[in-house]
PDB file of all heavy atoms in Angstrom:
ATOM      1  N   PHE A   1       0.841  -1.188  -0.003  1.00 59.00           N
ATOM      2  CA  PHE A   1       0.036   0.000  -0.035  1.00 59.00           C
ATOM      3  C   PHE A   1       0.883   1.252  -0.012  1.00 59.00           C
ATOM      4  O   PHE A   1       2.011   1.161   0.455  1.00 59.00           O
ATOM      5  CB  PHE A   1      -0.919  -0.003   1.265  1.00 59.00           C
ATOM      6  CG  PHE A   1      -1.881  -1.151   1.320  1.00 59.00           C
ATOM      7  CD1 PHE A   1      -1.620  -2.299   2.016  1.00 59.00           C
ATOM      8  CD2 PHE A   1      -3.087  -1.080   0.586  1.00 59.00           C
ATOM      9  CE1 PHE A   1      -2.477  -3.332   2.073  1.00 59.00           C
ATOM     10  CE2 PHE A   1      -4.027  -2.096   0.712  1.00 59.00           C
ATOM     11  CZ  PHE A   1      -3.650  -3.254   1.357  1.00 59.00           C
ATOM     12  N   GLU A   2       0.368   2.368  -0.476  1.00 63.00           N
ATOM     13  CA  GLU A   2       1.093   3.609  -0.521  1.00 63.00           C
ATOM     14  C   GLU A   2       0.381   4.684   0.322  1.00 63.00           C
ATOM     15  O   GLU A   2      -0.773   4.647   0.493  1.00 63.00           O
ATOM     16  CB  GLU A   2       1.185   4.089  -1.964  1.00 63.00           C
ATOM     17  CG  GLU A   2       1.991   3.233  -2.872  1.00 63.00           C
ATOM     18  CD  GLU A   2       2.176   3.854  -4.234  1.00 63.00           C
ATOM     19  OE1 GLU A   2       1.759   4.977  -4.412  1.00 63.00           O
ATOM     20  OE2 GLU A   2       2.901   3.183  -5.034  1.00 63.00           O
ATOM     21  N   GLY A   3       1.232   5.567   0.965  1.00 64.00           N
ATOM     22  CA  GLY A   3       0.720   6.662   1.759  1.00 64.00           C
ATOM     23  C   GLY A   3       1.402   7.929   1.318  1.00 64.00           C
ATOM     24  O   GLY A   3       2.494   7.892   0.720  1.00 64.00           O
ATOM     25  N   SER A   4       0.785   9.044   1.646  1.00 73.00           N
ATOM     26  CA  SER A   4       1.310  10.333   1.216  1.00 73.00           C
ATOM     27  C   SER A   4       2.374  10.891   2.164  1.00 73.00           C
ATOM     28  O   SER A   4       3.112  11.803   1.761  1.00 73.00           O
ATOM     29  CB  SER A   4       0.164  11.356   1.139  1.00 73.00           C
ATOM     30  OG  SER A   4      -0.468  11.472   2.382  1.00 73.00           O
ATOM     31  N   SER A   5       2.407  10.420   3.380  1.00 84.00           N
ATOM     32  CA  SER A   5       3.457  10.928   4.309  1.00 84.00           C
ATOM     33  C   SER A   5       3.840   9.806   5.305  1.00 84.00           C
ATOM     34  O   SER A   5       3.034   8.868   5.495  1.00 84.00           O
ATOM     35  CB  SER A   5       2.893  12.154   5.126  1.00 84.00           C
ATOM     36  OG  SER A   5       1.905  11.736   6.029  1.00 84.00           O
ATOM     37  N   LEU A   6       4.921   9.961   5.948  1.00 87.00           N
ATOM     38  CA  LEU A   6       5.342   9.005   6.927  1.00 87.00           C
ATOM     39  C   LEU A   6       4.342   8.933   8.088  1.00 87.00           C
ATOM     40  O   LEU A   6       4.069   7.837   8.717  1.00 87.00           O
ATOM     41  CB  LEU A   6       6.790   9.255   7.511  1.00 87.00           C
ATOM     42  CG  LEU A   6       7.914   8.919   6.510  1.00 87.00           C
ATOM     43  CD1 LEU A   6       9.263   9.415   7.159  1.00 87.00           C
ATOM     44  CD2 LEU A   6       8.038   7.417   6.205  1.00 87.00           C
ATOM     45  N   GLU A   7       3.799  10.063   8.534  1.00 89.00           N
ATOM     46  CA  GLU A   7       2.931  10.148   9.688  1.00 89.00           C
ATOM     47  C   GLU A   7       1.594   9.363   9.284  1.00 89.00           C
ATOM     48  O   GLU A   7       1.115   8.538  10.116  1.00 89.00           O
ATOM     49  CB  GLU A   7       2.472  11.583   9.923  1.00 89.00           C
ATOM     50  CG  GLU A   7       3.588  12.411  10.536  1.00 89.00           C
ATOM     51  CD  GLU A   7       4.552  13.004   9.564  1.00 89.00           C
ATOM     52  OE1 GLU A   7       4.382  12.638   8.311  1.00 89.00           O
ATOM     53  OE2 GLU A   7       5.500  13.645   9.969  1.00 89.00           O
ATOM     54  N   THR A   8       1.118   9.530   8.030  1.00 88.00           N
ATOM     55  CA  THR A   8      -0.075   8.751   7.598  1.00 88.00           C
ATOM     56  C   THR A   8       0.249   7.218   7.645  1.00 88.00           C
ATOM     57  O   THR A   8      -0.569   6.474   8.117  1.00 88.00           O
ATOM     58  CB  THR A   8      -0.504   9.199   6.195  1.00 88.00           C
ATOM     59  OG1 THR A   8      -0.805  10.573   6.147  1.00 88.00           O
ATOM     60  CG2 THR A   8      -1.703   8.370   5.765  1.00 88.00           C
ATOM     61  N   ILE A   9       1.379   6.896   7.116  1.00 88.00           N
ATOM     62  CA  ILE A   9       1.729   5.487   7.080  1.00 88.00           C
ATOM     63  C   ILE A   9       1.870   4.815   8.432  1.00 88.00           C
ATOM     64  O   ILE A   9       1.356   3.751   8.684  1.00 88.00           O
ATOM     65  CB  ILE A   9       3.097   5.283   6.255  1.00 88.00           C
ATOM     66  CG1 ILE A   9       2.844   5.534   4.783  1.00 88.00           C
ATOM     67  CG2 ILE A   9       3.665   3.908   6.448  1.00 88.00           C
ATOM     68  CD1 ILE A   9       4.015   5.392   3.883  1.00 88.00           C
ATOM     69  N   THR A  10       2.542   5.572   9.399  1.00 90.00           N
ATOM     70  CA  THR A  10       2.649   4.955  10.773  1.00 90.00           C
ATOM     71  C   THR A  10       1.295   4.816  11.390  1.00 90.00           C
ATOM     72  O   THR A  10       1.106   3.879  12.220  1.00 90.00           O
ATOM     73  CB  THR A  10       3.623   5.828  11.598  1.00 90.00           C
ATOM     74  OG1 THR A  10       3.225   7.180  11.577  1.00 90.00           O
ATOM     75  CG2 THR A  10       5.052   5.720  11.093  1.00 90.00           C
ATOM     76  N   HIS A  11       0.350   5.736  11.127  1.00 91.00           N
ATOM     77  CA  HIS A  11      -0.934   5.625  11.642  1.00 91.00           C
ATOM     78  C   HIS A  11      -1.632   4.350  11.063  1.00 91.00           C
ATOM     79  O   HIS A  11      -2.351   3.601  11.830  1.00 91.00           O
ATOM     80  CB  HIS A  11      -1.880   6.815  11.420  1.00 91.00           C
ATOM     81  CG  HIS A  11      -1.565   8.000  12.152  1.00 91.00           C
ATOM     82  ND1 HIS A  11      -1.467   7.954  13.531  1.00 91.00           N
ATOM     83  CD2 HIS A  11      -1.231   9.316  11.818  1.00 91.00           C
ATOM     84  CE1 HIS A  11      -1.115   9.151  14.008  1.00 91.00           C
ATOM     85  NE2 HIS A  11      -1.018  10.011  12.944  1.00 91.00           N
ATOM     86  N   MET A  12      -1.408   4.108   9.792  1.00 89.00           N
ATOM     87  CA  MET A  12      -2.009   2.864   9.195  1.00 89.00           C
ATOM     88  C   MET A  12      -1.261   1.586   9.766  1.00 89.00           C
ATOM     89  O   MET A  12      -1.930   0.563   9.997  1.00 89.00           O
ATOM     90  CB  MET A  12      -1.738   2.888   7.678  1.00 89.00           C
ATOM     91  CG  MET A  12      -2.525   3.984   7.017  1.00 89.00           C
ATOM     92  SD  MET A  12      -1.942   4.292   5.280  1.00 89.00           S
ATOM     93  CE  MET A  12      -2.374   2.671   4.484  1.00 89.00           C
ATOM     94  N   VAL A  13       0.026   1.694  10.067  1.00 91.00           N
ATOM     95  CA  VAL A  13       0.656   0.582  10.752  1.00 91.00           C
ATOM     96  C   VAL A  13       0.102   0.294  12.073  1.00 91.00           C
ATOM     97  O   VAL A  13      -0.231  -0.840  12.479  1.00 91.00           O
ATOM     98  CB  VAL A  13       2.179   0.828  10.839  1.00 91.00           C
ATOM     99  CG1 VAL A  13       2.821  -0.187  11.699  1.00 91.00           C
ATOM    100  CG2 VAL A  13       2.827   0.800   9.445  1.00 91.00           C
ATOM    101  N   ALA A  14      -0.082   1.401  12.867  1.00 92.00           N
ATOM    102  CA  ALA A  14      -0.629   1.190  14.214  1.00 92.00           C
ATOM    103  C   ALA A  14      -2.067   0.557  14.183  1.00 92.00           C
ATOM    104  O   ALA A  14      -2.413  -0.105  15.166  1.00 92.00           O
ATOM    105  CB  ALA A  14      -0.737   2.579  14.924  1.00 92.00           C
ATOM    106  N   SER A  15      -2.785   0.811  13.150  1.00 90.00           N
ATOM    107  CA  SER A  15      -4.176   0.274  13.001  1.00 90.00           C
ATOM    108  C   SER A  15      -4.150  -1.202  12.541  1.00 90.00           C
ATOM    109  O   SER A  15      -5.155  -1.796  12.497  1.00 90.00           O
ATOM    110  CB  SER A  15      -5.018   1.091  12.092  1.00 90.00           C
ATOM    111  OG  SER A  15      -4.597   0.981  10.715  1.00 90.00           O
ATOM    112  N   GLY A  16      -2.993  -1.646  12.175  1.00 89.00           N
ATOM    113  CA  GLY A  16      -2.842  -3.090  11.834  1.00 89.00           C
ATOM    114  C   GLY A  16      -2.829  -3.399  10.392  1.00 89.00           C
ATOM    115  O   GLY A  16      -2.978  -4.498   9.988  1.00 89.00           O
ATOM    116  N   MET A  17      -2.575  -2.355   9.501  1.00 86.00           N
ATOM    117  CA  MET A  17      -2.652  -2.528   8.059  1.00 86.00           C
ATOM    118  C   MET A  17      -1.395  -3.278   7.526  1.00 86.00           C
ATOM    119  O   MET A  17      -1.370  -3.912   6.459  1.00 86.00           O
ATOM    120  CB  MET A  17      -2.697  -1.179   7.406  1.00 86.00           C
ATOM    121  CG  MET A  17      -4.064  -0.605   7.475  1.00 86.00           C
ATOM    122  SD  MET A  17      -5.310  -1.345   6.377  1.00 86.00           S
ATOM    123  CE  MET A  17      -4.649  -0.888   4.773  1.00 86.00           C
ATOM    124  N   GLY A  18      -0.282  -3.238   8.273  1.00 87.00           N
ATOM    125  CA  GLY A  18       0.957  -3.852   7.790  1.00 87.00           C
ATOM    126  C   GLY A  18       2.148  -3.327   8.550  1.00 87.00           C
ATOM    127  O   GLY A  18       1.970  -2.796   9.641  1.00 87.00           O
ATOM    128  N   VAL A  19       3.323  -3.414   7.960  1.00 90.00           N
ATOM    129  CA  VAL A  19       4.526  -2.872   8.492  1.00 90.00           C
ATOM    130  C   VAL A  19       5.174  -1.828   7.571  1.00 90.00           C
ATOM    131  O   VAL A  19       4.765  -1.785   6.399  1.00 90.00           O
ATOM    132  CB  VAL A  19       5.531  -3.980   8.901  1.00 90.00           C
ATOM    133  CG1 VAL A  19       4.948  -4.984   9.823  1.00 90.00           C
ATOM    134  CG2 VAL A  19       6.052  -4.653   7.581  1.00 90.00           C
ATOM    135  N   THR A  20       6.161  -1.073   8.089  1.00 90.00           N
ATOM    136  CA  THR A  20       6.849  -0.122   7.198  1.00 90.00           C
ATOM    137  C   THR A  20       8.184   0.063   7.705  1.00 90.00           C
ATOM    138  O   THR A  20       8.643  -0.446   8.695  1.00 90.00           O
ATOM    139  CB  THR A  20       6.079   1.206   7.132  1.00 90.00           C
ATOM    140  OG1 THR A  20       6.551   2.001   5.993  1.00 90.00           O
ATOM    141  CG2 THR A  20       6.208   2.068   8.385  1.00 90.00           C
ATOM    142  N   VAL A  21       8.970   0.859   6.853  1.00 90.00           N
ATOM    143  CA  VAL A  21      10.348   1.228   7.293  1.00 90.00           C
ATOM    144  C   VAL A  21      10.426   2.730   7.370  1.00 90.00           C
ATOM    145  O   VAL A  21       9.898   3.441   6.489  1.00 90.00           O
ATOM    146  CB  VAL A  21      11.419   0.701   6.209  1.00 90.00           C
ATOM    147  CG1 VAL A  21      12.792   1.197   6.568  1.00 90.00           C
ATOM    148  CG2 VAL A  21      11.309  -0.832   6.120  1.00 90.00           C
ATOM    149  N   VAL A  22      11.034   3.227   8.424  1.00 92.00           N
ATOM    150  CA  VAL A  22      11.091   4.699   8.644  1.00 92.00           C
ATOM    151  C   VAL A  22      12.469   5.109   8.919  1.00 92.00           C
ATOM    152  O   VAL A  22      13.311   4.326   9.383  1.00 92.00           O
ATOM    153  CB  VAL A  22      10.119   5.087   9.804  1.00 92.00           C
ATOM    154  CG1 VAL A  22       8.659   4.850   9.495  1.00 92.00           C
ATOM    155  CG2 VAL A  22      10.565   4.527  11.122  1.00 92.00           C
ATOM    156  N   PRO A  23      12.867   6.344   8.684  1.00 93.00           N
ATOM    157  CA  PRO A  23      14.223   6.896   9.110  1.00 93.00           C
ATOM    158  C   PRO A  23      14.296   7.036  10.611  1.00 93.00           C
ATOM    159  O   PRO A  23      13.296   7.322  11.254  1.00 93.00           O
ATOM    160  CB  PRO A  23      14.289   8.185   8.370  1.00 93.00           C
ATOM    161  CG  PRO A  23      12.827   8.669   8.150  1.00 93.00           C
ATOM    162  CD  PRO A  23      12.070   7.433   7.986  1.00 93.00           C
ATOM    163  N   GLY A  24      15.481   6.841  11.104  1.00 93.00           N
ATOM    164  CA  GLY A  24      15.685   6.851  12.540  1.00 93.00           C
ATOM    165  C   GLY A  24      15.202   8.077  13.296  1.00 93.00           C
ATOM    166  O   GLY A  24      14.627   7.973  14.379  1.00 93.00           O
ATOM    167  N   LEU A  25      15.411   9.233  12.731  1.00 92.00           N
ATOM    168  CA  LEU A  25      14.915  10.492  13.413  1.00 92.00           C
ATOM    169  C   LEU A  25      13.507  10.597  13.580  1.00 92.00           C
ATOM    170  O   LEU A  25      12.982  11.435  14.369  1.00 92.00           O
ATOM    171  CB  LEU A  25      15.517  11.720  12.713  1.00 92.00           C
ATOM    172  CG  LEU A  25      16.969  12.038  12.910  1.00 92.00           C
ATOM    173  CD1 LEU A  25      17.267  13.336  12.161  1.00 92.00           C
ATOM    174  CD2 LEU A  25      17.351  12.190  14.393  1.00 92.00           C
ATOM    175  N   SER A  26      12.691   9.825  12.763  1.00 92.00           N
ATOM    176  CA  SER A  26      11.217   9.956  12.886  1.00 92.00           C
ATOM    177  C   SER A  26      10.675   9.116  14.025  1.00 92.00           C
ATOM    178  O   SER A  26       9.488   9.199  14.331  1.00 92.00           O
ATOM    179  CB  SER A  26      10.606   9.462  11.579  1.00 92.00           C
ATOM    180  OG  SER A  26      10.710   8.087  11.409  1.00 92.00           O
ATOM    181  N   VAL A  27      11.519   8.318  14.699  1.00 92.00           N
ATOM    182  CA  VAL A  27      11.056   7.471  15.802  1.00 92.00           C
ATOM    183  C   VAL A  27      10.758   8.320  16.988  1.00 92.00           C
ATOM    184  O   VAL A  27      11.640   9.081  17.501  1.00 92.00           O
ATOM    185  CB  VAL A  27      12.103   6.402  16.105  1.00 92.00           C
ATOM    186  CG1 VAL A  27      11.630   5.526  17.301  1.00 92.00           C
ATOM    187  CG2 VAL A  27      12.284   5.472  14.954  1.00 92.00           C
ATOM    188  N   PRO A  28       9.602   8.314  17.543  1.00 90.00           N
ATOM    189  CA  PRO A  28       9.236   9.102  18.748  1.00 90.00           C
ATOM    190  C   PRO A  28      10.039   8.803  19.934  1.00 90.00           C
ATOM    191  O   PRO A  28      10.435   7.660  20.169  1.00 90.00           O
ATOM    192  CB  PRO A  28       7.707   8.897  18.970  1.00 90.00           C
ATOM    193  CG  PRO A  28       7.243   8.313  17.694  1.00 90.00           C
ATOM    194  CD  PRO A  28       8.415   7.504  17.081  1.00 90.00           C
ATOM    195  N   ALA A  29      10.361   9.794  20.754  1.00 85.00           N
ATOM    196  CA  ALA A  29      11.166   9.560  22.002  1.00 85.00           C
ATOM    197  C   ALA A  29      10.283   8.781  23.013  1.00 85.00           C
ATOM    198  O   ALA A  29      10.888   7.998  23.734  1.00 85.00           O
ATOM    199  CB  ALA A  29      11.630  10.853  22.521  1.00 85.00           C
ATOM    200  N   GLU A  30       8.999   9.032  23.039  1.00 88.00           N
ATOM    201  CA  GLU A  30       8.132   8.322  24.028  1.00 88.00           C
ATOM    202  C   GLU A  30       7.557   7.125  23.413  1.00 88.00           C
ATOM    203  O   GLU A  30       7.276   6.992  22.192  1.00 88.00           O
ATOM    204  CB  GLU A  30       7.018   9.307  24.346  1.00 88.00           C
ATOM    205  CG  GLU A  30       7.428  10.564  25.032  1.00 88.00           C
ATOM    206  CD  GLU A  30       8.128  10.405  26.288  1.00 88.00           C
ATOM    207  OE1 GLU A  30       7.722   9.478  27.055  1.00 88.00           O
ATOM    208  OE2 GLU A  30       9.092  11.097  26.598  1.00 88.00           O
ATOM    209  N   PRO A  31       7.396   6.027  24.218  1.00 86.00           N
ATOM    210  CA  PRO A  31       6.827   4.750  23.793  1.00 86.00           C
ATOM    211  C   PRO A  31       5.437   5.004  23.157  1.00 86.00           C
ATOM    212  O   PRO A  31       4.643   5.824  23.676  1.00 86.00           O
ATOM    213  CB  PRO A  31       6.805   3.894  24.966  1.00 86.00           C
ATOM    214  CG  PRO A  31       7.769   4.466  25.938  1.00 86.00           C
ATOM    215  CD  PRO A  31       7.796   5.956  25.682  1.00 86.00           C
ATOM    216  N   GLN A  32       5.026   4.262  22.151  1.00 87.00           N
ATOM    217  CA  GLN A  32       3.673   4.433  21.482  1.00 87.00           C
ATOM    218  C   GLN A  32       2.852   3.295  21.896  1.00 87.00           C
ATOM    219  O   GLN A  32       3.245   2.050  21.956  1.00 87.00           O
ATOM    220  CB  GLN A  32       3.906   4.480  19.984  1.00 87.00           C
ATOM    221  CG  GLN A  32       4.757   5.547  19.446  1.00 87.00           C
ATOM    222  CD  GLN A  32       4.268   6.953  19.834  1.00 87.00           C
ATOM    223  OE1 GLN A  32       3.226   7.350  19.225  1.00 87.00           O
ATOM    224  NE2 GLN A  32       4.972   7.720  20.653  1.00 87.00           N
ATOM    225  N   THR A  33       1.562   3.544  22.156  1.00 88.00           N
ATOM    226  CA  THR A  33       0.644   2.550  22.639  1.00 88.00           C
ATOM    227  C   THR A  33       0.445   1.382  21.645  1.00 88.00           C
ATOM    228  O   THR A  33       0.484   0.229  22.061  1.00 88.00           O
ATOM    229  CB  THR A  33      -0.697   3.076  22.997  1.00 88.00           C
ATOM    230  OG1 THR A  33      -0.474   4.196  23.924  1.00 88.00           O
ATOM    231  CG2 THR A  33      -1.647   2.101  23.634  1.00 88.00           C
ATOM    232  N   HIS A  34       0.246   1.733  20.390  1.00 92.00           N
ATOM    233  CA  HIS A  34      -0.160   0.781  19.411  1.00 92.00           C
ATOM    234  C   HIS A  34       0.949   0.466  18.343  1.00 92.00           C
ATOM    235  O   HIS A  34       0.626  -0.117  17.302  1.00 92.00           O
ATOM    236  CB  HIS A  34      -1.454   1.245  18.667  1.00 92.00           C
ATOM    237  CG  HIS A  34      -2.613   1.431  19.614  1.00 92.00           C
ATOM    238  ND1 HIS A  34      -3.173   0.475  20.351  1.00 92.00           N
ATOM    239  CD2 HIS A  34      -3.186   2.577  19.959  1.00 92.00           C
ATOM    240  CE1 HIS A  34      -4.214   0.987  21.031  1.00 92.00           C
ATOM    241  NE2 HIS A  34      -4.200   2.274  20.872  1.00 92.00           N
ATOM    242  N   LEU A  35       2.144   1.016  18.598  1.00 93.00           N
ATOM    243  CA  LEU A  35       3.149   0.957  17.593  1.00 93.00           C
ATOM    244  C   LEU A  35       4.500   0.614  18.209  1.00 93.00           C
ATOM    245  O   LEU A  35       4.815   1.059  19.343  1.00 93.00           O
ATOM    246  CB  LEU A  35       3.268   2.373  16.883  1.00 93.00           C
ATOM    247  CG  LEU A  35       3.949   2.519  15.585  1.00 93.00           C
ATOM    248  CD1 LEU A  35       3.263   1.647  14.482  1.00 93.00           C
ATOM    249  CD2 LEU A  35       3.937   3.988  15.144  1.00 93.00           C
ATOM    250  N   ARG A  36       5.247  -0.217  17.541  1.00 94.00           N
ATOM    251  CA  ARG A  36       6.578  -0.561  17.995  1.00 94.00           C
ATOM    252  C   ARG A  36       7.602  -0.261  16.880  1.00 94.00           C
ATOM    253  O   ARG A  36       7.313  -0.544  15.708  1.00 94.00           O
ATOM    254  CB  ARG A  36       6.588  -2.059  18.370  1.00 94.00           C
ATOM    255  CG  ARG A  36       5.725  -2.465  19.536  1.00 94.00           C
ATOM    256  CD  ARG A  36       6.127  -1.846  20.851  1.00 94.00           C
ATOM    257  NE  ARG A  36       5.280  -2.299  21.959  1.00 94.00           N
ATOM    258  CZ  ARG A  36       4.157  -1.609  22.314  1.00 94.00           C
ATOM    259  NH1 ARG A  36       3.798  -0.526  21.660  1.00 94.00           N
ATOM    260  NH2 ARG A  36       3.462  -2.052  23.362  1.00 94.00           N
ATOM    261  N   PHE A  37       8.832   0.115  17.335  1.00 95.00           N
ATOM    262  CA  PHE A  37       9.882   0.392  16.388  1.00 95.00           C
ATOM    263  C   PHE A  37      11.002  -0.571  16.709  1.00 95.00           C
ATOM    264  O   PHE A  37      11.522  -0.663  17.845  1.00 95.00           O
ATOM    265  CB  PHE A  37      10.363   1.832  16.452  1.00 95.00           C
ATOM    266  CG  PHE A  37       9.354   2.822  16.092  1.00 95.00           C
ATOM    267  CD1 PHE A  37       8.488   3.396  16.960  1.00 95.00           C
ATOM    268  CD2 PHE A  37       9.182   3.226  14.707  1.00 95.00           C
ATOM    269  CE1 PHE A  37       7.522   4.307  16.699  1.00 95.00           C
ATOM    270  CE2 PHE A  37       8.185   4.105  14.446  1.00 95.00           C
ATOM    271  CZ  PHE A  37       7.367   4.611  15.308  1.00 95.00           C
ATOM    272  N   ILE A  38      11.438  -1.377  15.730  1.00 94.00           N
ATOM    273  CA  ILE A  38      12.396  -2.392  15.911  1.00 94.00           C
ATOM    274  C   ILE A  38      13.651  -2.184  14.969  1.00 94.00           C
ATOM    275  O   ILE A  38      13.454  -1.920  13.771  1.00 94.00           O
ATOM    276  CB  ILE A  38      11.804  -3.847  15.570  1.00 94.00           C
ATOM    277  CG1 ILE A  38      10.488  -3.992  16.326  1.00 94.00           C
ATOM    278  CG2 ILE A  38      12.792  -4.930  16.005  1.00 94.00           C
ATOM    279  CD1 ILE A  38       9.285  -3.793  15.488  1.00 94.00           C
ATOM    280  N   PRO A  39      14.835  -2.282  15.567  1.00 94.00           N
ATOM    281  CA  PRO A  39      16.027  -2.056  14.722  1.00 94.00           C
ATOM    282  C   PRO A  39      16.208  -3.184  13.690  1.00 94.00           C
ATOM    283  O   PRO A  39      15.697  -4.271  13.874  1.00 94.00           O
ATOM    284  CB  PRO A  39      17.211  -2.038  15.708  1.00 94.00           C
ATOM    285  CG  PRO A  39      16.548  -1.859  17.040  1.00 94.00           C
ATOM    286  CD  PRO A  39      15.209  -2.425  16.947  1.00 94.00           C
ATOM    287  N   PHE A  40      16.892  -2.836  12.634  1.00 93.00           N
ATOM    288  CA  PHE A  40      17.303  -3.900  11.580  1.00 93.00           C
ATOM    289  C   PHE A  40      18.489  -4.673  12.215  1.00 93.00           C
ATOM    290  O   PHE A  40      19.331  -4.103  12.949  1.00 93.00           O
ATOM    291  CB  PHE A  40      17.745  -3.214  10.292  1.00 93.00           C
ATOM    292  CG  PHE A  40      16.674  -2.962   9.314  1.00 93.00           C
ATOM    293  CD1 PHE A  40      16.001  -1.764   9.277  1.00 93.00           C
ATOM    294  CD2 PHE A  40      16.246  -4.019   8.414  1.00 93.00           C
ATOM    295  CE1 PHE A  40      14.985  -1.519   8.376  1.00 93.00           C
ATOM    296  CE2 PHE A  40      15.298  -3.750   7.476  1.00 93.00           C
ATOM    297  CZ  PHE A  40      14.641  -2.552   7.483  1.00 93.00           C
ATOM    298  N   ALA A  41      18.580  -5.916  11.827  1.00 92.00           N
ATOM    299  CA  ALA A  41      19.802  -6.701  12.108  1.00 92.00           C
ATOM    300  C   ALA A  41      20.874  -6.231  11.111  1.00 92.00           C
ATOM    301  O   ALA A  41      20.627  -5.774  10.094  1.00 92.00           O
ATOM    302  CB  ALA A  41      19.497  -8.222  11.946  1.00 92.00           C
ATOM    303  N   ALA A  42      22.111  -6.435  11.486  1.00 90.00           N
ATOM    304  CA  ALA A  42      23.243  -6.037  10.644  1.00 90.00           C
ATOM    305  C   ALA A  42      23.199  -6.907   9.393  1.00 90.00           C
ATOM    306  O   ALA A  42      22.859  -8.081   9.406  1.00 90.00           O
ATOM    307  CB  ALA A  42      24.535  -6.236  11.460  1.00 90.00           C
ATOM    308  N   PRO A  43      23.541  -6.260   8.232  1.00 89.00           N
ATOM    309  CA  PRO A  43      23.902  -4.870   8.117  1.00 89.00           C
ATOM    310  C   PRO A  43      22.708  -3.952   8.122  1.00 89.00           C
ATOM    311  O   PRO A  43      21.737  -4.196   7.384  1.00 89.00           O
ATOM    312  CB  PRO A  43      24.657  -4.831   6.706  1.00 89.00           C
ATOM    313  CG  PRO A  43      23.963  -6.002   5.979  1.00 89.00           C
ATOM    314  CD  PRO A  43      23.636  -7.002   6.939  1.00 89.00           C
ATOM    315  N   VAL A  44      22.790  -2.877   8.909  1.00 90.00           N
ATOM    316  CA  VAL A  44      21.643  -2.031   9.042  1.00 90.00           C
ATOM    317  C   VAL A  44      21.576  -1.008   7.825  1.00 90.00           C
ATOM    318  O   VAL A  44      22.609  -0.329   7.547  1.00 90.00           O
ATOM    319  CB  VAL A  44      21.762  -1.182  10.310  1.00 90.00           C
ATOM    320  CG1 VAL A  44      20.629  -0.180  10.463  1.00 90.00           C
ATOM    321  CG2 VAL A  44      21.788  -2.113  11.516  1.00 90.00           C
ATOM    322  N   PRO A  45      20.507  -0.928   7.059  1.00 90.00           N
ATOM    323  CA  PRO A  45      20.434   0.030   6.019  1.00 90.00           C
ATOM    324  C   PRO A  45      20.396   1.447   6.526  1.00 90.00           C
ATOM    325  O   PRO A  45      19.806   1.677   7.602  1.00 90.00           O
ATOM    326  CB  PRO A  45      19.101  -0.372   5.263  1.00 90.00           C
ATOM    327  CG  PRO A  45      18.281  -1.070   6.253  1.00 90.00           C
ATOM    328  CD  PRO A  45      19.270  -1.777   7.189  1.00 90.00           C
ATOM    329  N   THR A  46      21.050   2.337   5.828  1.00 91.00           N
ATOM    330  CA  THR A  46      21.062   3.750   6.254  1.00 91.00           C
ATOM    331  C   THR A  46      20.975   4.671   4.972  1.00 91.00           C
ATOM    332  O   THR A  46      21.006   4.199   3.884  1.00 91.00           O
ATOM    333  CB  THR A  46      22.391   4.081   6.935  1.00 91.00           C
ATOM    334  OG1 THR A  46      23.453   3.943   6.023  1.00 91.00           O
ATOM    335  CG2 THR A  46      22.664   3.208   8.151  1.00 91.00           C
ATOM    336  N   ARG A  47      20.726   5.920   5.282  1.00 91.00           N
ATOM    337  CA  ARG A  47      20.860   6.921   4.168  1.00 91.00           C
ATOM    338  C   ARG A  47      21.762   8.050   4.677  1.00 91.00           C
ATOM    339  O   ARG A  47      21.856   8.339   5.866  1.00 91.00           O
ATOM    340  CB  ARG A  47      19.441   7.473   3.853  1.00 91.00           C
ATOM    341  CG  ARG A  47      18.786   8.286   4.940  1.00 91.00           C
ATOM    342  CD  ARG A  47      17.477   8.972   4.472  1.00 91.00           C
ATOM    343  NE  ARG A  47      16.826   9.707   5.561  1.00 91.00           N
ATOM    344  CZ  ARG A  47      15.697  10.361   5.354  1.00 91.00           C
ATOM    345  NH1 ARG A  47      15.079  10.371   4.219  1.00 91.00           N
ATOM    346  NH2 ARG A  47      15.087  11.062   6.337  1.00 91.00           N
TER     347      ARG A  47
END
């Protein structure tokens, strides 16, 4: 599925639509109730 912004996509993920990949700086500092952020195993992709 496609979304117009990372914020929209993460809301869709939280609702159970699927998973996504996000840049590290977009990860909220506070824990999210319905969302989890998991690191990649090495080699970790970067930009």
Side-chain angles (χ1 to χ4, degrees):
F1 297 95
E2 294 186 2
S4 58
S5 71
L6 285 176
E7 289 81 1
T8 299
I9 286 177
T10 52
H11 287 309
M12 292 168 67
V13 170
S15 70
M17 287 285 292
V19 301
T20 194
V21 176
V22 299
L25 283 184
S26 72
V27 177
E30 299 297 324
Q32 303 295 295
T33 304
H34 303 293
L35 199 60
R36 296 292 183 270
F37 295 94
I38 310 100
F40 272 93
V44 178
T46 63
R47 67 174 178 179

